[in-house]
Amino acid sequence: MTYQEAIEQIYRSTKKLKEKGKPAAYIPELSQIDPSKFGVHICPLKEPPFGIGDYQTRFSIQSIAKVFSLSLAYKLKGEKIWERVGVEPSGTKFNSLVQLESDNGIPRNPFINAGALVIADILVSGLKNPKAELLEFVKSMSPSDNIAYSPVVEASEKSVGYRNVALCNFLKSLGNIDNQPEEVLDFYFTLCSLETDCLTLSSLFLPLANDGIAPHSNEKIIRTSYSKRINAIMQTCGFYDESGEFAFRVGLPGKSGVGGGIAAVHPDKYSIAVWSPGLNAKGNSYKGMKFLEEFTTLTELSIF
């Protein structure tokens, strides 16, 4: 069975499922998204790419963008970034404050909000124009430039971002934010407003399936060792407090976002992006999780 045949079969069966998820209601702009949207796109390393459904519809990738900010910070600072953020699953909600004080201001991993704020601070310190340079870096990972910040989503996030403001100020009080919290938060909210479609998103993750090399340009985006470690963190921490469940049922490194997107990679084989805005209780795409579980089961291809 080819990837295309598997995707077509599973897409049809998953699309018929009763929608149990709901769009992210706490971000006004995301709450208006049509929950029936559903798209899938795969970028194999040795087969033609394939997409189905709403795979060319743009959506807000939200926390999936944290993979890009982590990759750039890792490229800039190397192993020093792990002095300021850990690599362990948190076991708590993505916007939790409870562990920071007991952990002396070191977030458990770079994908929870506290960890992503520390990574944002590293980029604000290390780049002359963080927003423009991050976007340039992201675009270098794919042959498509169909990715951009959304001022509307950014404004919507800022309007309700009180907990992130609290997290950033708490981190500052604990000595793990170097810049002014307002500057870090501005960059962080912009980062989370990135928009693209499944077609582009799957191609953006392909370097992580290819030892850090972007196949379209043969450019070494990040070191092979960094790519492997980012995949490891995605495997253990990419789905917040549902990461163990995703590893158990899907068996791929991946990252979700509350916009309903999921990007995942099978090293040396493919990258895949799924979008369905209806979220489960843990904040991950309900149909996206179901689709990827069925996909790795049917193809019998996962890293476990």
Side-chain angles (χ1 to χ4, degrees), residues 61 63-74 111 119 123 134 137-138 141 147 191 194 196 200-201 204-205 208 230 263:
I61 69 172
S63 287
I64 298 174
K66 295 171 183 176
V67 177
F68 306 139
S69 58
L70 171 61
S71 298
L72 183 53
Y74 207 173
F111 293 151
I119 295 296
L123 292 178
L134 175 68
F137 171 73
V138 173
M141 301 174 77
I147 186 163
L191 164 71
L194 277 169
T196 191
T200 301
L201 185 59
L204 287 168
F205 271 71
L208 293 173
I230 290 169

Side-chain angles (χ1 to χ4, degrees), residues 139-159:
K139 288 182 176 181
S140 74
M141 301 174 77
S142 167
S144 170
D145 64 355
N146 182 27
I147 186 163
Y149 300 122
S150 168
V152 175
V153 172
E154 179 183 353
S156 187
E157 296 239 22
K158 287 181 175 178
S159 72

Side-chain angles (χ1 to χ4, degrees), residues 33-66:
I33 305 298
D34 180 357
S36 69
K37 295 291 184 181
F38 184 27
V40 181
H41 191 272
I42 190 170
C43 282
L45 284 167
K46 297 179 181 179
E47 292 183 27
F50 174 72
I52 193 169
D54 300 301
Y55 73 95
Q56 291 181 287
T57 301
R58 289 168 66 93
F59 64 95
S60 180
I61 69 172
Q62 293 290 308
S63 287
I64 298 174
K66 295 171 183 176

Side-chain angles (χ1 to χ4, degrees), residues 250-290:
V250 179
L252 296 176
K255 185 73 191 80
S256 63
V258 296
I262 297 175
V265 300
H266 190 307
D268 302 321
K269 294 190 182 298
Y270 62 78
S271 57
I272 188 168
V274 184
W275 174 52
S276 177
L279 308 181
N280 64 20
K282 300 290 187 178
N284 296 311
S285 172
Y286 172 73
K287 285 185 177 177
M289 298 277 280
K290 293 287 187 183

Side-chain angles (χ1 to χ4, degrees), residues 13-161:
S13 61
T14 307
K15 191 173 176 64
K16 293 176 183 177
L17 291 175
K18 183 179 179 181
E19 184 56 73
K20 296 182 180 180
K22 296 181 180 179
Y26 66 94
I27 299 175
E29 193 64 25
L30 298 187
S31 68
Q32 302 175 36
I33 305 298
D34 180 357
S36 69
K37 295 291 184 181
F38 184 27
V40 181
H41 191 272
I42 190 170
C43 282
L45 284 167
K46 297 179 181 179
E47 292 183 27
F50 174 72
I52 193 169
D54 300 301
Y55 73 95
Q56 291 181 287
T57 301
R58 289 168 66 93
F59 64 95
S60 180
I61 69 172
Q62 293 290 308
S63 287
I64 298 174
K66 295 171 183 176
V67 177
F68 306 139
S69 58
L70 171 61
S71 298
L72 183 53
Y74 207 173
K75 184 175 183 177
L76 286 176
K77 298 297 182 182
E79 303 298 333
K80 289 183 178 179
I81 65 173
W82 308 122
E83 297 172 4
R84 297 182 57 187
V85 62
V87 295
E88 297 290 343
S90 68
T92 59
K93 290 188 68 176
F94 59 85
N95 58 0
S96 173
L97 289 92
V98 297
Q99 292 171 336
L100 281 176
E101 189 158 24
S102 62
D103 291 348
N104 299 312
I106 306 297
R108 290 285 173 93
N109 66 71
F111 293 151
I112 56 174
N113 290 15
L117 284 163
V118 171
I119 295 296
D121 183 61
I122 290 170
L123 292 178
V124 169
S125 294
L127 302 173
K128 291 182 179 179
N129 190 336
K131 295 179 184 180
E133 291 178 61
L134 175 68
L135 189 58
E136 181 181 3
F137 171 73
V138 173
K139 288 182 176 181
S140 74
M141 301 174 77
S142 167
S144 170
D145 64 355
N146 182 27
I147 186 163
Y149 300 122
S150 168
V152 175
V153 172
E154 179 183 353
S156 187
E157 296 239 22
K158 287 181 175 178
S159 72
V160 294

